[in-house]
Amino acid sequence: MTAGEQTLSLFLGVLAVLALASAVGWWLARRAGDEPSPGVENLNARIKAWWVMVALLAVAFLCGTGGVVLLFAFASFFALREFLTLTETRRGDHWALAAMFFVVLPVQYWLIWIDWYGLYSIFVPVYVFLLLPIVAVLRGDTTRFMVRVAEMQWGLMICVFCLSHVPALLTLDIPGYQGRELLLICFLVLVVQSSDVLQYVFGKLFGRRKVAPSLSPSKTWAGLVGGVLSASLLGAALWWITPFSVPQAFAMALVITLLGFFGGLVMSAIKRDRGVKDWGRMIEGHGGMLDRLDSVVFAAPIFFHLVRYWFTP
Amino acid sequence: MPASLVRRAAAGLTALATIGLARIVTGVRGNWVGCTPAPAQRVYFANHTSHGDFVLIWTVLPQAFRSRTRPVAAADYWRADAVRRFLGADVFNAVLIDRDATARTADPIAEMAAAVDGGASLIFFPEGTRNTGEERLLPFKSGLFRLASARPALEFVPVWIENLNRVMPKGVFLPVPLLCTVTLGAPLTLAEGEERGAFLDRARAALLALSVKEVDR
């Protein structure tokens, strides 16, 4: 199969799963009659949102590299907006904040677009790391200075730097895999997101003991083990769209699903600390952009570097 | 009269663009905790921290009665130049009142009452000026009470705007994108024989009660 045919069959598979999920959700709602439980309503809202997200991804894929870079740049924008809402910045940080949105974010994605690995991999962690506190300090407000700067750095690393490693996968030059790099994004997003869904499903069906009761009420041992293992098996089954062998695909999937799980825990801890349940409300049934992408954020950079280390010359 | 048509079309487009921009920058959502978005005639009274305040309230109102909801604003600011005149009078259809009590020729309360009699809902900032300090809410001026006395049947809806002062602090022109919420509480009406101080205290307490952060925003 050509890359185009592989992508198409992958999308058809996803559409079939979504259609099945919609049918199940419709049946559950009908069975409940006039008063569907909040759980069923939330499930249907989530499924509906998945249709929209898959459609957006499909449109971006059709537009090629530019479309994918732009899609994730916008995702970064919305994620950063949610993240900074929960920080305790002060009036003196205004120019630093504006620079994050209107300079750092576009430059990072532009560097990926022009495929300048040497700069996009250190731009935020080195240059912005040093320049941002300089911009902030020039206003002379020392109140909680280190906390404010640290929160801004964290926001940029999570929402811009880490997330930008999804489209950065397109810049990898893997021998024998040229022209198929979009499928690497499919692998990452499909495995990590289905791990989230499968953790939810296994947790709802069999979950009893909570993994981290102080962090998240919804993460259970059954969900963790069932979700991570089944998503890793799915990853192994998708070896044909990757440059990996079957065991390699399984190991990669295991690594990124585990990272995704712990990423979810870390982001939960931040929400707990700030007294909110969700990062935002822009995705019906899911919460905010960061609620949907927290696992991808933690998986993307490490997946990128593992592939780069072992599969590129 | 093609010139006025062009002006009206430009005003309509500017209004849409303003609302779109407000959505992109603030992702604003209306929390209708005390009332529903019904087409009732109301006075929405809100905390005032930014020039964009009434735009956010406008954005969360259903489009059908947005054009009938007029912000009450300072004439000296919105008549200062051609751009602001266009925005104030044409785009936002503001009820412009004169803040200078010694020089003014028209009574602000009478002008607001006239707008109400014309069928409009109002957006009103009872603090009288933008709050740029650390205090949550400034003391209310008497305008809210005087309007309620002039039109006792009017519903007054408290509206708390959260976070817009971080998006656009005083003196900056470039907004920083951050999520904002607009929380609309239960309507108040002037009780029979209620004194000025009692009504203003009640209204202020109702507004402050909305400012308490919920666990789930």
Side-chain angles (χ1 to χ4, degrees):
Chain A
M1 278 200 277
T2 67
E5 286 165 353
Q6 284 183 332
T7 316
L8 186 66
S9 40
L10 213 54
F11 266 103
L12 289 178
V14 171
L15 291 188
V17 171
L18 275 183
L20 181 69
S22 290
V24 171
W26 177 80
W27 176 74
L28 282 174
R30 216 188 69 145
R31 200 185 57 164
D34 289 335
E35 38 191 308
S37 69
V40 172
E41 273 183 16
N42 178 260
L43 179 74
N44 280 325
R46 278 173 186 250
I47 296 169
K48 229 180 259 168
W50 273 120
W51 280 103
V52 176
M53 290 187 273
V54 169
L56 281 175
L57 214 53
V59 170
F61 273 32
L62 284 175
C63 300
T65 307
V68 176
V69 170
L70 210 59
L71 178 73
F72 281 91
F74 273 105
S76 272
F77 174 87
F78 291 121
L80 192 61
R81 196 177 70 171
E82 289 169 2
F83 192 97
L84 292 174
T85 299
L86 294 192
T87 61
E88 285 169 21
T89 57
R90 290 166 61 83
R91 189 171 297 167
D93 298 322
H94 195 81
W95 289 112
L97 291 170
M100 290 162 69
F101 279 100
F102 303 120
V103 181
V104 178
L105 191 155
V107 168
Q108 173 72 9
Y109 280 91
W110 175 71
L111 291 173
I112 286 171
W113 164 245
I114 63 166
D115 193 0
W116 188 351
Y117 171 79
L119 192 51
Y120 74 62
S121 55
I122 60 161
F123 175 61
V124 174
V126 177
Y127 288 92
V128 177
F129 178 79
L130 298 172
L131 291 175
L132 197 71
I134 294 177
V135 173
V137 84
L138 288 177
R139 298 293 293 265
D141 181 359
T142 56
T143 311
R144 288 186 288 102
F145 183 73
M146 195 160 82
V147 174
R148 283 154 47 206
V149 169
E151 282 179 338
M152 289 193 277
Q153 308 273 19
W154 239 78
L156 274 182
M157 283 300 287
I158 290 286
C159 304
V160 179
F161 181 77
C162 289
L163 196 54
S164 74
H165 280 70
V166 180
L169 289 167
L170 298 177
T171 66
L172 289 177
D173 215 359
I174 304 165
Y177 194 69
Q178 279 89 354
R180 297 169 62 197
E181 293 85 358
L182 276 174
L183 289 166
L184 221 46
I185 295 185
C186 286
F187 179 80
L188 170 71
V189 172
L190 213 57
V191 169
V192 173
Q193 295 291 358
S194 59
S195 164
D196 283 2
V197 173
L198 290 164
Q199 283 175 38
Y200 172 86
V201 172
F202 276 92
K204 286 268 169 206
L205 293 180
F206 312 107
R208 258 190 230 116
R209 285 209 2 250
K210 295 188 169 105
V211 175
S214 62
L215 295 178
S216 168
S218 58
K219 290 191 168 28
T220 61
W221 280 104
L224 169 59
V225 175
V228 165
L229 274 186
S230 53
S232 303
L233 287 174
L234 174 76
L238 287 174
W239 66 274
W240 50 279
I241 64 165
T242 69
F244 319 138
S245 67
V246 176
Q248 284 170 339
F250 179 83
M252 281 288 194
L254 186 63
V255 169
I256 57 181
T257 49
L258 282 174
L259 280 163
F261 172 80
F262 287 111
L265 279 189
V266 170
M267 299 304 272
S268 265
I270 297 176
K271 288 186 286 185
R272 275 289 158 110
D273 176 43
R274 296 298 144 104
V276 297
K277 194 173 134 299
D278 291 323
W279 284 100
R281 299 199 296 195
M282 71 179 300
I283 311 177
E284 197 73 37
H286 296 258
M289 183 63 77
L290 273 174
D291 291 292
R292 191 63 275 129
L293 288 181
D294 51 7
S295 45
V296 175
V297 160
F298 276 73
I302 294 187
F303 180 65
F304 173 91
H305 285 289
L306 290 180
V307 175
R308 188 170 182 279
Y309 184 74
W310 271 307
F311 294 89
T312 64
Chain B
M1 290 188 287
S4 79
L5 263 183
V6 168
R7 203 176 166 91
R8 272 181 59 191
L13 284 178
T14 311
L16 281 182
T18 310
I19 287 168
L21 190 69
R23 287 229 167 90
I24 291 172
V25 173
T26 70
V28 63
R29 291 271 192 145
N31 286 339
W32 297 80
V33 296
C35 57
T36 53
Q41 190 177 29
R42 287 164 170 166
V43 175
Y44 299 94
F45 67 100
N47 57 320
H48 195 19
T49 57
S50 159
H51 281 310
D53 281 333
F54 69 83
V55 174
L56 279 204
I57 297 179
W58 234 37
T59 306
V60 302
L61 290 176
Q63 206 214 325
F65 39 98
R66 208 175 274 153
S67 61
R68 286 190 287 114
T69 307
R70 305 175 60 187
V72 178
D76 52 290
Y77 182 84
W78 290 101
R79 286 212 185 103
D81 55 53
V83 174
R84 283 188 246 178
R85 272 198 296 279
F86 173 70
L87 287 174
D90 295 85
V91 180
F92 304 122
N93 191 18
V95 180
L96 295 178
I97 56 168
D98 218 329
R99 285 189 290 191
D100 185 353
T102 52
R104 69 186 164 209
T105 49
D107 174 26
I109 302 299
E111 291 195 47
M112 285 186 252
V116 167
D117 295 339
S121 289
L122 301 179
I123 296 172
F124 188 76
F125 300 105
E127 295 163 283
T129 184
R130 274 182 298 152
N131 176 5
T132 53
E134 298 286 325
E135 211 178 338
R136 281 302 261 170
L137 191 61
L138 298 175
F140 283 7
K141 299 260 169 71
S142 63
L144 198 69
F145 173 76
R146 286 159 60 211
L147 179 59
S149 306
R151 295 292 178 272
L154 265 182
E155 283 190 345
F156 288 81
V157 175
V159 182
W160 184 264
I161 302 168
E162 180 70 40
N163 239 4
L164 195 61
N165 53 334
R166 285 178 69 202
V167 173
M168 266 181 99
K170 192 186 165 124
V172 303
F173 55 91
L174 188 65
V176 162
L178 295 169
L179 297 178
C180 295
T181 52
V182 171
T183 308
L184 301 98
L188 286 78
T189 47
L190 184 66
E192 214 57 41
E194 193 171 14
E195 295 287 329
R196 170 180 133 158
F199 178 73
L200 291 178
D201 284 349
R202 192 156 67 91
R204 190 164 180 273
L207 184 51
L208 268 177
L210 299 176
S211 80
V212 178
K213 282 188 184 170
E214 322 149 64
V215 170
D216 182 11
R217 271 192 281 193

